[in-house]
Amino acid sequence: MKAIVQDRYGPPETLTLADVDVPVPAADEVLVRVEAAALNAYDWHVMRGDPRLARLALGRSRPRARVRGRDFAGRVEAVGTDVRDVRPDDAVFGDLGDANGAFAEYVRVPATLLAARPANLTPQQAAALPLAGTTALLGLRDVGQVGPGHRVLINGASGGVGTLAVQLAKVLGATVTGVCSTRNVDLVRSLGADHVVDYTRDDFTRDTRRHDVVFDLVGNRSLTALRRALTPTGALVLSGGGVYRGGSLVGPIGLIMRGRVLAPFVRQRIGILTTAPGRQHLDTLRAYAEAGRLTPVIDRTYPLHEVPEALRYLEGEHARAKVVITV
């Protein structure tokens, strides 16, 4: 089969389309014929080995997982002997987590990391949901504890996570302020945002409006500035993916580390978002999608052999919403 492989850290040129063996599912795994896969900031971080501190987990000289990509949608080709609730030809979607492998014609997946695909979404839309949707869901519902009547600000509202976070915050009953650039104001407003701040003209951290939750998806502001946008007992949720700026030692991890240190000493809650893939999150996202309350927005699609170009587009801060690979 064809797959996008990587044998050393570096720019998009280090990724190549190669022939590799079709994976064989273990007893508790499923083999999926991939129809679409989605890019995330995670993918360029792994590709570059950036920030360098992350290589302690990813692999010192090259990524431990040779085939890139983690979000996918497709159809089940075969199931392991212990899998009972998934059958061949089922339409599914999921997130492989750190195992990677989605930028390929076939992928093997633990049965617990996939779910039935939303019936009203295309494979491309479904592939755009898993990691970004889970990040938005857990950041708002679990860490931010967003509920009816809360005022929520999303910094990075036009990105892959942000476009889903705007919609999910409305589902949870919040009044939503989205922060984005001029060209994305109409997009963010169309997703349901009650207020939109154009960061090229206004600084949301200097506004008089205060928010119950600030969901930071960019990592481009200091803790002091972000906390200034909160009510005295509000919650700051940190999950900044950042963009590639020539390499760094700690990158967005620095802001998160400072948040951990400060959290015990302030009244405001500072929450550090960590996500783990799982069927329960996918089921929740599917329910919202099938109810018409959550629709992924796709910026561009690329064929499998153009994954390097797609990642170049994503890491340069040009993308809005999701970038998807068709297989």
Side-chain angles (χ1 to χ4, degrees):
M1 72 170 186
K2 299 293 185 182
I4 296 294
V5 302
Q6 179 181 16
D7 293 312
R8 62 182 176 87
Y9 291 122
E13 291 76 21
T14 60
L15 305 181
T16 58
L17 183 68
D19 289 306
V20 301
D21 293 336
V22 175
V24 177
D28 61 347
E29 293 180 330
V30 175
L31 181 67
V32 176
R33 183 175 72 254
V34 179
E35 296 176 285
L39 272 62
N40 298 280
Y42 169 91
D43 296 307
W44 73 255
H45 280 294
V46 174
M47 177 186 72
R48 297 270 185 181
D50 183 80
R52 290 188 295 277
L53 186 62
R55 297 186 187 188
L56 296 175
L58 299 174
R60 291 186 178 274
S61 60
R62 62 182 180 182
R64 291 192 176 94
R66 187 169 183 242
V67 180
R68 296 276 58 77
R70 57 185 288 176
D71 280 355
F72 67 90
R75 288 194 174 271
V76 175
E77 187 77 6
V79 301
T81 55
D82 292 344
V83 178
R84 298 286 182 266
D85 54 353
V86 180
R87 293 181 173 84
D89 204 41
D90 282 355
V92 295
F93 75 130
D95 172 6
L96 292 163
D98 293 338
N100 283 261
F103 298 157
E105 293 177 320
Y106 293 90
V107 65
R108 68 175 187 178
V109 191
T112 56
L113 298 186
L114 55 71
R117 195 162 78 203
N120 59 333
L121 297 188
T122 66
Q124 292 75 24
Q125 289 175 311
L129 262 183
L131 177 56
T134 297
T135 301
L137 178 68
L138 300 187
L140 293 167
R141 185 194 65 187
D142 297 5
V143 182
Q145 300 176 15
V146 173
H150 284 172
R151 293 162 294 178
V152 175
L153 180 137
I154 299 167
N155 185 29
S158 62
V161 177
T163 50
L164 296 171
V166 170
Q167 298 175 71
L168 286 171
K170 294 301 296 181
V171 168
L172 295 171
T175 297
V176 180
T177 297
V179 181
C180 62
S181 65
T182 306
R183 76 183 183 111
N184 295 323
V185 167
D186 290 342
L187 168 64
V188 173
R189 189 174 285 120
S190 74
L191 296 173
D194 302 280
H195 311 283
V196 182
V197 176
D198 178 351
Y199 68 74
T200 69
R201 299 178 179 178
D202 300 298
D203 183 351
F204 73 89
T205 70
R206 297 287 180 182
D207 197 337
T208 57
R209 188 183 294 122
R210 295 291 178 264
H211 307 274
D212 300 297
V213 177
V214 169
F215 193 8
D216 180 43
L217 299 168
V218 185
N220 64 345
R221 300 285 184 156
S222 68
L223 283 176
T224 299
L226 291 169
R227 291 179 57 223
R228 196 162 53 230
L230 285 171
T231 63
T233 57
L236 171 61
V237 182
L238 298 175
S239 180
V243 295
Y244 184 67
R245 303 190 187 281
S248 64
L249 177 62
V250 295
I253 298 175
L255 180 66
I256 291 171
M257 292 171 62
R258 290 190 291 274
R260 288 190 185 278
V261 171
L262 182 63
F265 304 102
V266 296
R267 289 180 63 200
Q268 294 163 325
R269 287 192 298 115
I270 300 177
I272 311 302
L273 177 59
T274 58
T275 63
R279 181 177 293 183
Q280 68 273 28
H281 309 318
L282 298 172
D283 286 340
T284 299
L285 295 171
R286 182 184 69 245
Y288 286 142
E290 291 182 341
R293 309 187 77 183
L294 183 65
T295 303
V297 179
I298 297 175
D299 180 7
R300 293 188 182 185
T301 60
Y302 293 81
L304 181 62
H305 69 274
E306 291 186 4
V307 165
E309 184 59 35
L311 276 165
R312 187 178 294 108
Y313 175 69
L314 178 69
E315 71 173 354
E317 202 174 9
H318 300 297
R320 61 178 181 174
K322 293 295 294 184
V323 177
V324 174
I325 303 302
T326 57
V327 181

